[in-house]
Amino acid sequence: ELKENIILAGVSDYENALQAVLSAPLYHFDFKSDSKRRLGYVVYEQDRGNWFSYNDESQQVPALDERALFGHHAGAIKVLHARITTLETEVAALRAQAHLN
């Protein structure tokens, strides 16, 4: 009831999601409390509009928006799947053509 004008995302939205995921840096880091190396998904202050939601109360801090994060990754997977499917079709056609020659 808090949302309106909900429409299905289009391919350009998926492409934008892929570009957002691709531009997010990944770093290896060690926590100061232990020596285990981690791979971290790093989100910078200027990226808050993409990855963070703002809470309503003034005493609360922005929180990672898991729905937006998942949505970006789901969209990225969809556009990559479409690209892979296209490439697979083209490869199959080239193989068929090569067998005919």
Side-chain angles (χ1 to χ4, degrees):
E1 64 187 47
L2 298 176
K3 297 178 178 103
E4 63 182 5
N5 301 325
I6 298 173
I7 57 169
L8 187 62
V11 174
S12 64
D13 296 307
Y14 301 154
E15 183 64 40
N16 291 336
L18 174 62
Q19 293 309 314
V21 170
L22 291 175
S23 66
L26 293 175
Y27 294 98
H28 287 286
F29 58 89
D30 294 326
F31 282 110
K32 292 180 179 180
S33 61
D34 63 36
S35 61
K36 295 179 181 172
R37 187 158 289 280
R38 316 287 170 102
L39 180 64
Y41 187 69
V42 178
V43 180
Y44 291 106
E45 189 75 21
Q46 64 267 28
D47 296 327
R48 283 183 184 247
N50 292 327
W51 311 110
F52 283 85
S53 62
Y54 288 91
N55 297 313
D56 294 329
E57 299 298 323
S58 59
Q59 75 274 17
Q60 293 179 328
V61 295
L64 184 63
D65 186 345
E66 285 127 3
R67 289 173 292 192
L69 189 62
F70 176 80
H72 277 85
H73 284 86
I77 290 167
K78 287 176 180 283
V79 77
L80 288 174
H81 179 265
R83 288 180 185 178
I84 290 167
T85 301
T86 299
L87 289 172
E88 287 174 339
T89 302
E90 291 173 359
V91 167
L94 288 171
R95 284 183 177 155
Q97 184 180 12
H99 290 302
L100 291 176
N101 293 334

